[in-house]
Amino acid sequence: MDCYTANWNPLGDSAFYRKYELYSMDWDLKEELRDCLVAAAPYGGPIALLRNPWRKEKPASARPVLEIYSASGVPLASLLWKSGPVVSLGWSAEEELLCVQEDGVVLVYGLHGDFRRHFSMGNEVLQNRVLDARIFHTEFGSGVAILTGAHRFTLSANVGDLKLRRMPEVPGLQSAPSCWTTVCQDRVAHILLAVGPDLYLPRPFCLVFPLALPQTPPGLAPGVSSFLQMAVSFTYRHLALFTDTGYIWMGTASLKEKLCEFNCNIRAPPKQMVWCSRPRSKERAVVVAWERRLMVVGDAPESIQFVLDEDSYLVPELDGVRVFSRSTHEFLHEVPVASEEIFKIASMAPGALLLEAQKEYEKESQKADEYLREIQELGQLPQAVQQCIEAAGHEHWPDMQKSLLRAASFGKCFLDRFPPDSFVRMCQDLRVLNAIRDYHIGIPLTYSQYPQVLVLRRLYPLAIQICEYLRLPEVQGVSRILAHWACYKVQQKDVSDEDVARAINQKLGDTPGVSYSDIAARAYGCGRTELAIKLLEYEPRSGEQVPLLLKMKRSKLALSKAIESGDTDLVFTVLLHLKNELNRGDFFMTLRNQPMALSLYRQFCKHQELETLKDLYNQDDNHQELGSFHIRASYAAEERIEGRVAALQTAADAFYKAKNEFAAKATEDQMRLLRLQRRLEDELGGQFLDLSLHDTVTTLILSGQNKRAEQLARDFRIPDKRLWWLKLTALADLEDWEELEKFSKSKKSPIGYLPFVEICMKQHNKYEAKKYASRVGPEQKVKALLLVGDVAQAADVAIEHRNEAEMSLVLSHCTGSTDGATADKIQRARAQAQKK
Amino acid sequence: MAFPHRPDAPELPDFSMLKRLARDQLIYLLEQLPGKKDLFIEADLMSPLDRIANVSILKQHEVDKLYKVENKPALSSSEQLCFLVRPRIKNMRYIASLVNADKMAGRTRKYKVIFSPQKFYACEMVLEEEGVYGDVSCDEWAFSLLPLDVDLLSMELPEFFRDYFLEGDQRWINTLAQALHLLSTLYGPFPNCYGIGRCAKMSYELWKRLEEEEDGETKGRRPEIGHIFLLDRDVDFVTALCSQVVYEGLVDDTFRIKCGSVDFGPEVTSSDKSLKVLLNAEDKVFNEIRNEHFSNVFGFLSQKARNLQAQYDRRRGMDIKQMKNFVSQELKGLKQEHRLLSLHIGACESIMKKKTKQDFQELIKTEHALLEGFNIRESTNYIEEHIDRQVSPIESLRLMCLLSITENGLIPKDYRSLKTQYLQSYGPEHLLTFFNLRRAGLLTEQAPGDTLTAVESKVSKLVTDKAAGKITDAFSSLAKRSNFRAISKKLNLIPRVDGEYDLKVPRDMAYVFSGAYVPLSCRIIEQVLERRGWQGLDEVVRLLNCSELAFTDMTKDDKASSESLRLILVVFLGGCTFSEISALRFLGREKGK
């Protein structure tokens, strides 16, 4: 037990810090760490090294090598660096390696040294060169901050969605700041920099003070003339400053509050300074590293000091600091509360007693019972078990984990109702963690991010086993891993497209949650367009296929897929894409083969782009539609008669071309009519334009222009029947009975004389009506007589005709007493007819 | 679009759920724009909106003033404007002009556009082209089904017919599929699906795809509706072209029923005001006469009036206590009934007046002659006279179309002369109308020498040619041959009647057309449901030119199961007439027993 706390170092009264070895490094470094650019990803992530030849006076003859190792020093990748000088390396949150070049170009590599993409940090950076660069992480992703040769800062808060922000100038900044860092306040990333004794926080969005004012941290000891090093905590909440007087100030990142200070009396600038704290712990400490010395300082008069035998490098983690050198990889952190309670010397905490009890029990000593009793008397057995479980999680060595878990399991036996989940969960978690901490895998994770991390390392079988072991739902776990595997598979350039596609489909089948379009997107990203198309074939939702097809410039295929999906919006999206991509002729040709798309586009053009619509019809030689188009235009666009007639003429020509003579003639008639109506308006006044032919003639008659009306009827060859109907109605409307009679006698009526009777009755002129009733032909006579109200005569005619239907019609008109006699007469005639 | 089905012994599903759903979503959308706002509503969304959420509900959610979307500058002074519109391009231009006018005036307001039932990319495109896309926020109000009555749903999309059947634009199919999907999530999966027509088939496929994508939820639920039948309107144009003679149909033909309500003018209300009346099953008087042949309606109404009078008369000779009872309990109901009765009597009178003026009997006679296919020449002459006399542009067209469809197109001479006459009577602009009618297959010309077999081989070639979309071309190039005569014979659409057809006690669905014609659409539905599929109807399907596009989908064959399987939902793609609804209600009563 004594030896277990041997590596515990107290800092102040309440906290202990311990440093233990994770791995002895397996790498075979030729260089000193100090000669290299080093970047290590957080969460036990990989380490990238690039021997930096550009910093030396004389450039090295050979090209440098970029090497990537796991945390245990297992080489993952190694490649010759062929691009320009690199200023800084860093890992993004997705474990992509970002290499910032002197010219502001950032190259992005995968974990295995595969080149992903590159982007530039802008022209200004290119001109002034990069002096210094940092990669930082915020809740939005990973960002890049750059200090240019002109002492200006440019940053992008998320490299996935590149938006460059140029920070405002700092007044009087003639040389590079002595130190700087990125901070994140109010969800915005800023630069904090130190110039002499002043700190600046330029805010690009502040309108009142576009230039930053110098700030001084509260409670700073006097005599400071410059800051040598600064560090922000993992969560951006705290800031530590190291001054040229060997004094360390620790406070909040907003510079509003001081937490503590420490004077270490070392004036040499430290190599590195990082925060070391764990979530929910009140203790805060900063680890400072010099060439051969490591110091942990916090809110205590004394500091903890370690001697460094070798060149070392610090990696801040969420709950501690990793320290690695050529030969070892160590972890330095604050001892967690549960462990402290159990292992502290002479601890009487329930967990400590339980552990002791279990040990005695194994020795078959009766002391076990004593200890157990002691805990039970205090009623603290559940806490004891809980403590042991928790502490096991924080232990690195499996032996210690086991003995703690054994103690917990022992304690559980004496409890009736202790929920088993936390114990089971911890056992599972530890198995997983131990597996990945294994030297071959080399991920010294402390907790909980595992499946995701493993997948990035292409340890698929292990990841799948873990997911199944942890019973993650399929969609979350296995599917994601399979999809990831497939994405990796498409990058194997030496396998043929067919084989890859088949292999992927065989393995994935219809696994829920796997998106073939994502995999295809990856294939396209690797330049394997054909493979991507093959993979898309497996995508069941055609809608999903379209965006990628568009990206791959397979627009026509995209169009047919969109049509297949039945989603008109999608079709429309593709159409607009095509419209920009192809020249007009090709675009129209494509449309022609896709009637569904064509009609959709036509609908749009009808409302929004009339000219295009015309071109469309022209292209197709669709003269019929062109004709309609011009007719519509004659109504919509043109005000003046001449313009309208011209439009109609074009329409008529088109109709001729379409061999639609009827329409052409009709249009020509319309032109004639329009011109005529115009003339009539000029000569007679009144409203003629846009009346129908029929109405034009009627209007003429109503205004007494009989001559003109006749002329018009002849010109436009109005059929006799229509003319008669027309005149009849018009004259009756005028109540010009004399003219009507004259008209009726002008020749034999082509529509008979019943309409005359009807129209007179409509105007309530029985007298006139009777005149015509006598002239109505025999078939309609009864009807006419009934209309004028001559029931008796109607009956006579009906009887004469011996027509059953007519007789019943008359009968139905016989009302009450007046027509009694008539009714009888009909009844008699009927009876007679039936007898025969 | 309408969804009538048999109102009968099996209990109807609770369609008011659809209303609640729509209302909640609208409120949610309105609350997305907190604070006072003015609401601009598209004219033809007003009535549907009124059925979902009235003004006071809108006010509760801080809608200040209501405006109609029309092409005028907005007078609103509110800082927040909300537009509730159909996804139409002209609306987008209106909104854009409004926003741009504000920009010119240096004014900043918040704009929100709510599209109903869904937004289209083309609309957003227009907003972008007009440079206001960044200034407005867009949302969707997925309000696609309005319950008009206990047994009637409507999508209230008047442009569906034109867009699909004339322009070949398929964008509403997605909306329809969404609506069907909504129905199946709310009322359980439909065990049996039938359909006919290209649009029906596409909608069905899209709908099934939607179900697949989010499967799981509907499975295992007890279906509330047993069958669904999708029917393209162009399968049966004839029925839609016939004059309606059931009461509800006549009210529609005369006054236009819009969104389940009708505006009765002063001539009906016998006062100087117009009155908006909701026509549905809650109107007791209307509910009894809506499906009746018009000739019975007067008799029924006068009987009703007498009964009412008798009930009023009972109060004579009552003592005080009885009188009190009468006043407190019955009088209100009687008064209500009285009011409704006088309204419907007024409506009947008005209908009679209009119909006699037009010589309705002659018109009906001609229609029947066309349906039965005799005296074609006489009918053609009647139509010509109809046009010459300028009786009514729409009626003239209706008759021409009916002639064309029943006769497989007009003979070339008539085609020309009728069109010429029509243009002379009603104006040259109708040249375009004729183009459209021709394209939709409503008014066509018999191709000279085009024998039946020739057309058929052409059709079958087109249909088998799977190079998609070619069929769409068939719309325009080959005016669809209707084969009405043959279908009519096959399906026995013209009942052979000896003596008078008793309209009071109808024997079959033909009563909705005075016993002269059984609506084709309803007959197809009847036959398919009877046979539980299309077996034995091959010839009919072939004649309808839909051979590839008729489908049945019987997921499981548990006929014996619940009551609900007797419920049938019929979906008319492109609208339906009240006559058809009445016929289907009749069918429900007959078969549902």
Side-chain angles (χ1 to χ4, degrees):
Chain A
M1 207 78 294
D2 295 341
C3 61
Y4 189 75
T5 51
N7 64 348
W8 289 24
N9 300 290
L11 183 71
D13 301 329
S14 54
F16 291 91
Y17 283 77
R18 70 174 167 191
K19 187 169 75 133
Y20 56 84
E21 188 180 79
L22 293 168
Y23 305 107
S24 67
M25 294 302 272
D26 194 33
W27 55 15
D28 190 16
L29 283 187
K30 293 180 200 75
E31 309 286 332
E32 287 296 324
L33 274 180
R34 77 171 82 90
D35 291 337
C36 297
L37 284 175
V38 182
Y43 301 111
I47 302 165
L49 292 178
L50 179 64
R51 193 171 49 86
N52 189 348
W54 301 289
R55 210 173 269 176
K56 287 183 180 168
E57 278 69 39
K58 54 172 182 34
S61 53
R63 282 192 168 127
V65 179
L66 174 66
E67 289 172 313
I68 300 174
Y69 295 94
S70 78
S72 56
V74 175
L76 295 174
S78 159
L79 61 141
L80 265 183
W81 187 257
K82 292 175 188 161
S83 309
V86 175
V87 176
S88 176
L89 292 179
W91 291 93
S92 75
E94 293 85 29
E95 296 207 336
E96 284 180 324
L97 182 62
L98 307 176
C99 311
V100 186
Q101 289 193 151
E102 202 182 51
D103 55 2
V105 172
V106 182
L107 300 152
V108 184
Y109 286 87
L111 189 57
H112 298 270
D114 44 324
F115 177 71
R116 295 267 167 87
R117 62 202 154 92
H118 69 89
F119 57 86
S120 163
M121 291 299 286
N123 256 337
E124 199 248 337
V125 177
L126 177 67
Q127 274 159 22
N128 296 320
R129 317 308 279 176
V130 179
L131 213 60
D132 195 3
R134 301 271 161 85
I135 316 294
F136 60 96
H137 305 277
T138 67
E139 54 198 291
F140 310 111
S142 307
V144 180
I146 281 178
L147 171 63
T148 69
H151 311 306
R152 300 265 320 239
F153 287 93
T154 298
L155 69 80
S156 163
N158 182 1
V159 292
D161 174 22
L162 199 66
K163 282 194 185 102
L164 294 178
R165 262 168 53 206
R166 198 159 167 247
M167 306 309 272
E169 214 169 333
V170 173
L173 188 61
Q174 296 303 326
S175 59
S178 56
C179 59
W180 62 279
T181 186
T182 49
V183 294
C184 190
Q185 285 177 2
D186 307 327
R187 300 157 62 84
V188 180
H190 297 287
I191 302 284
L192 179 69
L193 60 128
V195 181
D198 296 322
L199 292 173
Y200 293 91
L201 191 67
R203 284 173 186 274
F205 302 123
C206 180
L207 291 173
V208 189
F209 300 109
L211 305 173
L213 294 173
Q215 300 187 14
T216 317
L220 186 73
V224 173
S225 62
S226 83
F227 297 98
L228 299 181
Q229 187 67 273
M230 57 172 80
V232 273
S233 66
F234 214 75
T235 54
Y236 290 104
R237 211 169 294 152
H238 303 114
L239 176 74
L241 300 165
F242 189 93
T243 70
D244 58 346
T245 52
Y247 164 89
I248 300 171
W249 181 92
M250 286 173 263
T252 58
S254 57
L255 292 175
K256 293 220 170 82
E257 205 183 318
K258 184 171 96 168
L259 292 171
C260 52
E261 58 184 10
F262 184 80
N263 208 331
C264 67
N265 293 322
I266 301 174
R267 296 194 170 218
K271 240 179 69 187
Q272 260 184 306
M273 177 165 82
V274 296
W275 281 85
C276 174
S277 59
R278 66 166 53 249
R280 287 187 298 280
S281 160
K282 277 192 215 82
E283 289 307 319
R284 283 176 200 97
V286 170
V287 179
V288 196
W290 287 267
E291 282 301 307
R292 288 283 176 264
R293 192 201 299 262
L294 192 69
M295 194 183 272
V296 183
V297 299
D299 192 9
E302 295 297 320
S303 66
I304 308 168
Q305 304 221 9
F306 298 98
V307 175
L308 293 175
D309 301 329
E310 290 176 292
D311 223 7
S312 293
Y313 189 82
L314 306 184
V315 188
E317 289 279 358
L318 187 66
D319 54 353
V321 178
R322 282 192 289 138
V323 186
F324 66 85
S325 67
R326 273 180 74 116
S327 56
T328 59
H329 196 155
E330 292 173 310
F331 190 60
L332 168 63
H333 74 149
E334 182 199 340
V335 177
V337 181
S339 308
E340 189 187 321
E341 298 249 286
I342 292 176
F343 295 115
K344 204 158 75 176
I345 296 166
S347 167
M348 293 298 281
L353 291 175
L354 181 61
L355 185 63
E356 209 54 41
Q358 199 269 337
K359 278 187 180 151
E360 295 299 334
Y361 171 74
E362 272 183 6
K363 282 189 226 153
E364 300 180 8
S365 151
Q366 90 286 3
K367 274 190 187 163
D369 184 50
E370 277 173 33
Y371 284 124
L372 209 55
R373 227 178 261 281
E374 200 173 327
I375 310 172
Q376 268 175 327
E377 270 163 22
L378 293 167
Q380 286 178 327
L381 195 52
Q383 285 101 299
V385 174
Q386 201 59 53
Q387 256 177 4
C388 286
I389 294 175
E390 212 178 298
H394 292 297
E395 288 311 313
H396 185 69
W397 305 113
D399 287 344
M400 189 47 77
Q401 293 166 359
K402 276 183 203 158
S403 77
L404 282 165
L405 287 173
R406 234 179 270 126
S409 152
F410 175 71
K412 248 159 56 78
C413 300
F414 300 93
L415 283 169
D416 286 343
R417 274 199 207 97
F418 188 82
D421 345 350
S422 58
F423 182 77
V424 175
R425 171 52 68 77
M426 183 55 77
C427 290
Q428 288 178 343
D429 286 354
L430 281 177
R431 279 192 69 166
V432 174
L433 285 172
N434 289 338
I436 60 172
R437 279 170 189 164
D438 182 275
Y439 156 84
H440 292 289
I441 297 176
I443 305 177
L445 265 190
T446 47
Y447 245 151
S448 69
Q449 305 92 1
Y450 22 104
Q452 201 49 39
V453 176
L454 287 182
V455 158
L456 288 171
R457 303 282 170 91
R458 291 185 199 152
L459 298 167
Y460 302 108
L462 182 62
I464 290 180
Q465 273 170 21
I466 289 173
C467 282
E468 277 168 5
Y469 180 64
L470 294 178
R471 297 206 187 90
L472 286 179
E474 211 175 47
V475 179
Q476 263 181 37
V478 176
S479 295
R480 244 160 76 188
I481 294 162
L482 279 175
H484 207 279
W485 166 80
C487 288
Y488 164 63
K489 191 85 188 162
V490 300
Q491 295 170 23
Q492 295 179 338
K493 298 230 158 101
D494 45 342
V495 189
S496 80
D497 291 346
E498 282 80 21
D499 293 346
V500 174
R502 206 175 317 116
I504 289 176
N505 185 245
Q506 263 168 17
K507 191 143 253 162
L508 270 62
D510 291 327
T511 317
V514 172
S515 157
Y516 277 99
S517 44
D518 287 353
I519 303 169
R522 182 61 67 92
Y524 173 62
C526 305
R528 300 184 74 167
T529 314
E530 287 308 315
L531 175 59
I533 291 172
K534 283 207 170 59
L535 285 170
L536 276 181
E537 289 294 322
Y538 293 116
E539 173 66 57
R541 290 158 297 176
S542 27
E544 295 285 313
Q545 306 172 352
V546 174
L548 183 63
L549 285 172
L550 279 183
K551 216 162 130 193
M552 297 193 297
K553 305 241 184 303
R554 296 297 162 111
S555 314
K556 284 177 194 173
L557 191 57
L559 186 61
S560 45
K561 289 287 174 198
I563 290 170
E564 217 171 89
S565 79
D567 183 346
T568 47
D569 267 8
L570 208 57
V571 177
F572 204 80
T573 321
V574 181
L575 278 183
L576 291 181
H577 212 93
L578 275 173
K579 192 179 156 197
N580 295 332
E581 192 178 286
L582 303 173
N583 66 39
R584 223 169 162 80
D586 290 348
F587 176 55
F588 287 168
M589 280 306 285
T590 315
L591 280 180
R592 209 149 123 187
N593 297 324
Q594 298 286 5
M596 187 261 190
L598 178 61
S599 51
L600 195 71
Y601 189 63
R602 256 193 217 144
Q603 284 278 77
F604 175 74
C605 289
K606 251 176 208 169
H607 290 106
Q608 196 67 3
E609 288 176 17
L610 277 175
E611 279 309 301
T612 316
L613 187 65
K614 199 169 86 185
D615 295 349
L616 255 172
Y617 292 141
N618 259 325
Q619 170 91 10
D620 286 358
D621 287 333
N622 191 342
H623 297 294
Q624 174 70 32
E625 287 296 339
L626 265 178
S628 315
F629 175 84
H630 287 296
I631 288 195
R632 224 168 268 128
S634 83
Y635 283 99
E638 291 290 346
E639 294 275 318
R640 296 165 309 121
I641 277 293
E642 296 76 25
R644 290 185 56 177
V645 170
L648 286 172
Q649 183 61 55
T650 332
D653 293 347
F655 286 138
Y656 275 123
K657 276 189 202 150
K659 301 215 164 51
N660 187 343
E661 248 167 71
F662 176 83
K665 286 257 152 53
T667 311
E668 282 171 351
D669 278 350
Q670 189 188 355
M671 285 154 57
R672 231 157 22 108
L673 184 64
L674 263 181
R675 290 208 195 95
L676 194 103
Q677 285 171 334
R678 178 58 185 275
R679 212 165 52 234
L680 288 176
E681 278 192 4
D682 287 349
E683 289 169 18
L684 304 174
Q687 183 74 39
F688 281 98
L689 273 182
D690 282 331
L691 291 181
S692 71
L693 179 60
H694 188 110
D695 293 341
T696 314
V697 179
T698 308
T699 318
L700 282 174
I701 295 177
L702 287 178
S703 50
Q705 301 283 340
N706 279 326
K707 278 261 168 51
R708 279 181 191 265
E710 299 279 344
Q711 184 62 38
L712 205 63
R714 268 200 301 281
D715 284 355
F716 283 87
R717 268 180 270 160
I718 293 183
D720 251 5
K721 276 189 184 173
R722 167 188 298 283
L723 195 62
W724 277 70
W725 277 113
L726 189 158
K727 271 197 157 174
L728 174 65
T729 326
L731 291 173
D733 276 355
L734 283 174
E735 304 195 23
D736 189 347
W737 305 116
E738 204 177 319
E739 189 66 28
L740 187 66
E741 197 171 350
K742 241 189 333 196
F743 170 60
S744 78
K745 285 173 182 160
S746 62
K747 66 181 202 186
K748 189 174 177 293
S749 161
I751 54 173
Y753 291 93
L754 186 62
F756 284 80
V757 180
E758 279 170 351
I759 207 133
C760 295
M761 287 311 289
K762 215 175 183 178
Q763 304 282 354
H764 309 292
N765 193 336
K766 206 171 193 170
Y767 173 75
E768 287 292 327
K770 276 187 175 164
K771 277 190 199 164
Y772 300 108
S774 57
R775 292 165 69 183
V776 174
E779 316 92 74
Q780 291 176 317
K781 196 110 189 181
V782 175
K783 228 174 167 184
L785 288 170
L786 284 176
L787 264 175
V788 298
D790 195 342
V791 182
Q793 210 186 332
D796 288 345
V797 175
I799 292 167
E800 194 182 309
H801 286 172
R802 294 201 184 139
N803 185 323
E804 180 61 39
E806 283 181 3
M807 282 193 269
S808 19
L809 184 69
V810 178
L811 209 54
S812 69
H813 275 77
C814 292
T815 45
S817 53
T818 45
D819 302 322
T822 321
D824 289 346
K825 205 160 137 194
I826 294 174
Q827 295 293 13
R828 268 201 307 281
R830 260 189 172 175
Q832 224 165 15
Q834 260 158 17
K835 250 181 239 165
K836 280 173 194 170
Chain B
M1 208 142 328
F3 297 72
H5 64 134
R6 325 201 297 209
D8 192 39
E11 203 179 316
L12 289 161
D14 176 18
F15 286 132
S16 64
M17 203 163 11
L18 291 167
K19 275 195 200 178
R20 286 202 300 277
L21 220 65
R23 181 168 56 224
D24 291 351
Q25 205 199 348
L26 179 66
I27 289 171
Y28 172 78
L29 288 171
L30 288 175
E31 288 295 323
Q32 300 278 80
L33 196 65
K36 274 208 184 313
K37 60 221 151 215
D38 281 0
L39 189 61
F40 287 70
I41 307 169
E42 168 129 35
D44 59 351
L45 261 174
M46 279 185 156
S47 307
L49 176 67
D50 202 41
R51 303 289 291 266
I52 296 298
N54 53 26
V55 176
S56 67
I57 290 182
L58 295 179
K59 297 259 161 177
Q60 271 170 31
H61 298 280
E62 299 186 87
V63 170
D64 196 18
K65 289 197 192 85
L66 291 168
Y67 295 91
K68 199 160 137 190
V69 172
E70 47 194 351
N71 253 336
K72 276 193 275 183
L75 302 165
S76 164
S77 58
S78 175
E79 284 312 302
Q80 306 197 88
L81 306 184
C82 188
F83 300 89
L84 186 59
V85 293
R86 294 267 182 229
R88 294 173 184 149
I89 285 174
K90 73 173 174 26
N91 291 329
M92 297 305 107
R93 285 223 289 270
Y94 167 72
I95 292 168
S97 70
L98 222 142
V99 176
N100 280 328
D102 278 355
K103 274 189 189 167
M104 295 279 274
R107 204 170 164 180
T108 45
R109 319 198 227 197
K110 267 195 177 169
Y111 312 92
K112 183 188 185 72
V113 185
I114 301 174
F115 294 97
S116 173
Q118 66 176 118
K119 74 179 162 202
F120 288 127
Y121 181 63
C123 290
E124 291 177 296
M125 256 284 302
V126 173
L127 289 179
E128 200 179 321
E129 276 182 6
E130 306 278 333
V132 297
Y133 188 61
D135 304 285
V136 302
S137 62
C138 295
D139 256 310
E140 280 181 352
W141 182 31
F143 165 50
S144 53
L145 287 170
L146 174 68
L148 289 179
D149 209 333
V150 284
D151 61 351
L152 189 64
L153 303 175
S154 165
M155 292 187 76
E156 292 294 314
L157 280 181
E159 56 252 77
F160 187 101
F161 183 83
R162 193 192 165 98
D163 280 352
Y164 179 77
F165 290 102
L166 180 64
E167 312 280 1
D169 181 341
Q170 300 171 3
R171 59 198 173 137
W172 296 113
I173 291 178
N174 195 18
T175 319
L176 177 64
Q178 299 275 7
L180 291 174
H181 182 53
L182 175 69
L183 283 175
S184 70
T185 39
L186 287 180
Y187 305 108
F190 298 96
N192 304 303
C193 301
Y194 317 94
I196 186 159
R198 191 172 140 77
C199 185
K201 180 141 180 149
M202 286 194 287
S203 321
Y204 171 79
E205 278 165 5
L206 203 56
W207 167 38
K208 286 292 149 190
R209 207 176 306 157
L210 282 177
E211 310 253 287
E212 269 166 38
E213 267 169 37
E214 32 184 297
D215 55 353
E217 280 175 47
T218 55
K219 281 191 190 124
R221 272 195 54 186
R222 215 183 61 100
E224 287 188 55
I225 301 170
H227 308 262
I228 182 165
F229 198 113
L230 308 173
L231 183 114
D232 276 19
R233 182 71 265 181
D234 67 348
V235 166
D236 172 20
F237 279 140
V238 174
T239 308
L241 289 168
C242 292
S243 298
Q244 310 198 64
V245 284
V246 288
Y247 181 64
E248 193 167 6
L250 270 171
V251 171
D252 184 38
D253 273 357
T254 322
F255 306 100
R256 284 268 150 260
I257 299 179
K258 275 191 197 142
C259 199
S261 66
V262 67
D263 268 319
F264 281 139
E267 76 276 13
V268 175
T269 53
S270 50
S271 64
D272 49 354
K273 268 184 294 187
S274 287
L275 192 64
K276 196 169 180 180
V277 184
L278 215 54
L279 293 179
N280 58 25
E282 275 166 35
D283 179 339
K284 291 280 176 315
V285 179
F286 176 69
N287 198 32
E288 283 183 75
I289 54 174
R290 65 197 303 186
N291 299 320
E292 290 294 319
H293 190 273
F294 191 63
S295 60
N296 301 337
V297 171
F298 253 130
F300 175 85
L301 288 178
S302 59
Q303 180 61 42
K304 189 100 193 161
R306 274 198 294 280
N307 288 351
L308 206 58
Q309 190 58 47
Q311 274 177 299
Y312 272 123
D313 288 347
R314 273 197 303 126
R315 75 200 144 142
R316 288 196 200 115
M318 281 181 182
D319 58 27
I320 296 280
K321 198 171 167 207
Q322 283 169 325
M323 188 64 104
K324 196 175 156 199
N325 242 342
F326 175 79
V327 171
S328 65
Q329 285 169 13
E330 285 173 56
L331 194 59
K332 200 170 163 225
L334 287 178
K335 278 223 166 121
Q336 167 79 357
E337 212 169 323
H338 185 150
R339 198 182 61 85
L340 291 170
L341 197 57
S342 63
L343 260 180
H344 288 295
I345 291 175
C348 279
E349 278 171 352
S350 188
I351 291 170
M352 283 291 276
K353 221 182 274 166
K354 276 194 188 136
K355 292 298 172 190
T356 46
K357 204 166 74 187
Q358 276 184 28
D359 214 348
F360 197 51
Q361 288 305 329
E362 284 290 312
L363 183 76
I364 296 276
K365 224 168 83 189
T366 310
E367 276 180 21
H368 291 175
L370 289 174
L371 289 169
E372 287 173 51
F374 64 83
N375 283 348
I376 297 302
R377 180 75 352 237
E378 212 168 275
S379 303
T380 314
N381 290 340
Y382 175 81
I383 296 171
E384 193 168 347
E385 190 189 308
H386 199 272
I387 296 169
D388 283 348
R389 292 170 60 192
Q390 292 183 307
V391 179
S392 143
I394 195 81
E395 297 272 278
S396 300
L397 270 186
R398 201 164 58 72
L399 286 168
M400 285 166 77
C401 293
L402 195 59
L403 174 66
S404 162
I405 289 186
T406 52
E407 286 294 297
N408 269 336
L410 304 178
I411 53 173
K413 189 176 130 279
D414 288 343
Y415 186 59
R416 286 174 154 264
S417 79
L418 284 180
K419 280 202 301 187
T420 313
Q421 295 303 317
Y422 195 91
L423 293 181
Q424 289 191 355
S425 261
Y426 302 117
E429 66 272 23
H430 289 290
L431 192 60
L432 297 178
T433 314
F434 287 125
F435 290 158
N436 286 342
L437 287 173
R438 183 193 155 95
R439 194 184 314 160
L442 276 162
L443 184 60
T444 57
E445 183 179 9
Q446 285 174 9
D450 207 2
T451 61
L452 192 70
T453 45
V455 175
E456 264 171 27
S457 70
K458 214 162 157 191
V459 169
S460 61
K461 213 179 92 210
L462 281 167
V463 172
T464 46
D465 191 356
K466 286 265 170 69
K470 283 275 155 56
I471 299 166
T472 330
D473 272 353
F475 274 114
S476 43
S477 70
L478 174 98
K480 245 170 93 176
R481 228 180 135 89
S482 62
N483 298 328
F484 178 74
R485 215 55 82 210
I487 295 168
S488 164
K489 209 173 277 163
K490 265 256 148 349
L491 287 175
N492 201 13
L493 297 182
I494 313 290
R496 292 280 154 251
V497 195
D498 306 317
E500 282 284 288
Y501 188 99
D502 188 356
L503 292 168
K504 284 210 171 71
V505 194
R507 306 176 289 187
D508 54 21
M509 295 188 285
Y511 92 95
V512 299
F513 293 114
S514 311
Y517 162 66
V518 180
L520 169 59
S521 51
C522 306
R523 178 70 103 198
I524 296 176
I525 293 162
E526 180 197 23
Q527 290 294 317
V528 171
L529 290 174
E530 226 163 60
R531 290 158 206 258
R532 297 204 148 229
W534 294 93
Q535 296 89 352
L537 294 174
D538 310 344
E539 183 65 14
V540 176
V541 170
R542 197 181 58 82
L543 287 169
L544 286 168
N545 287 331
C546 298
S547 47
E548 294 286 308
L549 308 169
F551 55 89
T552 341
D553 165 40
M554 305 255 256
T555 39
K556 40 200 149 126
D557 201 31
D558 44 354
K559 277 181 217 164
S561 78
S562 63
E563 270 284 278
S564 65
L565 284 179
R566 285 161 59 203
L567 277 182
I568 297 152
L569 178 71
V570 178
V571 186
F572 284 91
L573 304 148
C576 83
T577 64
F578 284 102
S579 300
E580 284 166 312
I581 299 177
S582 293
L584 288 175
R585 281 177 182 145
F586 173 82
L587 191 66
R589 275 196 303 278
E590 288 287 298
K591 307 274 167 170
K593 274 169 199 161

